[in-house]
Amino acid sequence: MEAHFVETVPSSHSIEAVSYSAFNSSKFDEHHHHYIHFSPPKTIEEIISHPIESGFLRAFCESQYSSENVRFVIEVGRFVDSIKRDSTLCKNKLHYKEIDRLTNLSEVDITSLVVPHKGKEVDFGKINEWSSTIVPRSTVIENVISIFDEFISTNAERQICLSTSIIVNTLHRIKNMHLYTFQIFDEALLDPIKTLRKDVLPRFLHSEHYKRLVSHCSHIYPLPSLKEFTFQMPSTAKVLQWPDEKLTLENLRNVDWYVLLHDYILFGQFLKYTQSIVSSENLLCARLSAKYMCLWEAKGYPMKQNTFISLNCSGQPTYIEPSIKSVDIQTQLPDIQSQLPDIPTASSSSNTTRVPSRDKMLFSKKTDNPVKVMTCPPDAQELAWSILRYFILPNSVYEISLSHRKRKDIMESLANPDYHLFDKVVKSVIGALRGNYDSYIRSDYFKNLITVIKTEKEKIAMEKKIEDKKFNSCLPMFR
């Protein structure tokens, strides 16, 4: 059943303080979601197995400039998750020590082992020895090299402390990865986890990061109900400023995502359609994710200028020549003239530089250009937890379709969220929305859009006329 949608909400953008349902990562997979009541973690294993808790632990270690061990443990965990996608690689698997004995690890010639590096030819065993068709062998090799280069090699950026014997044993397991699969780095994990348990954990449990973790997790079950969800519609409608000659269904069909998500007429009409087909969760999530980014911009985060993807049924890029001006901090909406579809004219010159729309910043990856490090604004952080609680967590009231890996990535980043926290989410929901939009532009909701806009214009004009009349009637009193 489609959830009830609340349009009337407080003027503030923020949603009331939220909590979420914690879960044990080992029990969280694509098919079964089990929730547990939150209790303060007592062991390092409990923290590492929980994506939100491990994210706060990593943030604490980064503040202490000693994050290499926890990063290594997390990256190996991701590697194990990727391998376990294929159950055949895990079924009836011997312990790595038993495989060591069967492969004569104690008799291995060290000179025969080659340190893996990106772009370097290394013996990873015969191709036909890799049995999985679900987990590509090339992907496993790429992940193994990435972990070794970053944490284990002599020139590793975040080198962890390992004995020579463990490194040699790990190289042997890499060479025979078809036998060890997800256990390649098991022995290498022992020392980092021991360090985390004896040195890092006691300090973490007395840190401000841990207090924040407990605060956010203090009310985690049950998940919020639909009645607790409130939502603020966009406060402006820039489409009302469009000149009449531009107000055509073709131009309305080709507006970009940013305009639609921040225009109460365009957004509201599309929302009514998605509610009619019981599929509004993706649009609501896209709107809140866009707002999350706007809260960053309002605090001075630089806007990215990337080619946007227009909202049309074909899904092909549409380019315009916007006039990017200063940002309205209150509405975070660009100048309306920059949002009108590009209409070629005879005077258009071929050497004119096109400035891409800022809409693609909703979906773009991080750029290579360095930007100053900013902490997440409090209102954006609160909104991030709300999005997690209502859209990301399994069994949430507006749960969107998202992979297990993407969910964990978001949870691990909540301790120190950045501007790009929901990039992968937005890409996913926009992909789903394209199908809805294709049918929307053929529906009566879209065909009646011009009538809705004109009616709203007339309403505003009438209200202005009444206000002017009241104002003029009061003038004699001041003479």
Side-chain angles (χ1 to χ4, degrees), residues 85-86 88-89 130-137:
R85 286 166 48 206
D86 188 350
T88 61
L89 294 174
W130 186 256
S131 59
S132 176
T133 57
I134 299 175
V135 182
R137 179 176 179 270

Side-chain angles (χ1 to χ4, degrees), residues 199 227 346:
D199 177 43
K227 294 180 180 179

Side-chain angles (χ1 to χ4, degrees), residues 279-294:
S279 182
S280 63
E281 65 280 354
N282 290 305
L283 184 58
L284 293 173
C285 185
R287 160 67 183 162
L288 292 179
S289 298
K291 191 166 191 175
Y292 169 83
M293 297 178 183
C294 284

Side-chain angles (χ1 to χ4, degrees), residues 206-440:
H206 293 87
S207 68
E208 288 298 321
H209 288 81
Y210 182 74
K211 292 179 182 178
R212 285 174 51 215
L213 169 64
V214 174
S215 175
H216 281 297
C217 298
S218 58
H219 304 92
I220 61 166
Y221 190 83
L223 283 172
S225 66
L226 186 60
K227 294 180 180 179
E228 298 178 62
F229 179 71
T230 58
F231 181 85
Q232 183 182 10
M233 291 288 287
S235 59
T236 59
K238 291 294 185 179
V239 71
L240 294 175
Q241 301 178 22
W242 285 25
D244 290 341
E245 61 271 17
K246 305 295 185 184
L247 201 58
T248 65
L249 290 179
E250 180 65 22
N251 287 343
L252 290 170
R253 181 173 71 91
N254 289 323
V255 296
D256 66 81
W257 287 106
Y258 190 87
V259 172
L260 185 142
L261 293 173
H262 293 81
D263 188 297
Y264 70 79
I265 293 180
L266 300 180
F267 177 83
Q269 202 72 354
F270 190 24
L271 178 62
K272 289 177 182 178
Y273 172 76
T274 57
Q275 286 181 318
S276 71
I277 61 174
V278 198
S279 182
S280 63
E281 65 280 354
N282 290 305
L283 184 58
L284 293 173
C285 185
R287 160 67 183 162
L288 292 179
S289 298
K291 191 166 191 175
Y292 169 83
M293 297 178 183
C294 284
L295 293 173
W296 275 86
E297 296 169 20
K299 298 299 182 181
Y301 193 90
M303 293 185 298
K304 305 296 182 295
Q305 297 182 7
N306 295 288
T307 304
F308 72 91
I309 303 176
S310 70
L311 187 62
N312 57 46
C313 58
S314 65
Q316 297 300 317
T318 298
Y319 300 89
I320 62 175
E321 294 185 27
S323 172
I324 296 182
K325 300 181 180 181
S326 59
V327 181
D328 183 339
I329 297 300
Q330 292 184 348
T331 62
Q332 289 298 304
L333 288 168
D335 184 75
I336 184 61
Q337 295 299 324
S338 69
Q339 305 307 326
L340 295 177
D342 185 30
I343 302 177
T345 61
S347 60
S348 299
S349 58
S350 59
N351 60 352
T352 301
T353 302
R354 292 184 180 271
V355 182
S357 164
R358 59 192 284 256
D359 169 75
K360 184 62 187 301
M361 65 188 292
L362 296 178
F363 323 107
S364 61
K365 296 180 179 179
K366 297 180 181 180
T367 62
D368 294 332
N369 299 325
V371 296
K372 62 179 181 180
V373 177
M374 294 179 60
T375 57
C376 183
D379 46 3
Q381 191 168 50
E382 182 180 355
L383 185 57
W385 284 93
S386 297
I387 294 173
L388 174 83
R389 198 172 180 227
Y390 288 100
F391 297 92
I392 308 299
L393 287 177
N395 298 330
S396 52
V397 291
Y398 281 114
E399 182 184 357
I400 60 173
S401 178
L402 207 60
S403 71
H404 172 65
R405 181 67 264 161
K406 290 178 181 178
R407 292 181 200 271
K408 289 187 69 175
D409 286 345
I410 293 171
M411 294 176 192
E412 290 172 357
S413 302
L414 280 172
N416 189 23
D418 64 3
Y419 178 84
H420 300 276
L421 176 64
F422 295 110
D423 277 9
K424 294 178 180 178
V425 172
V426 175
K427 288 180 181 179
S428 178
V429 298
I430 291 303
L433 279 174
R434 286 200 175 280
N436 291 339
Y437 196 79
D438 183 40
S439 54
Y440 164 65

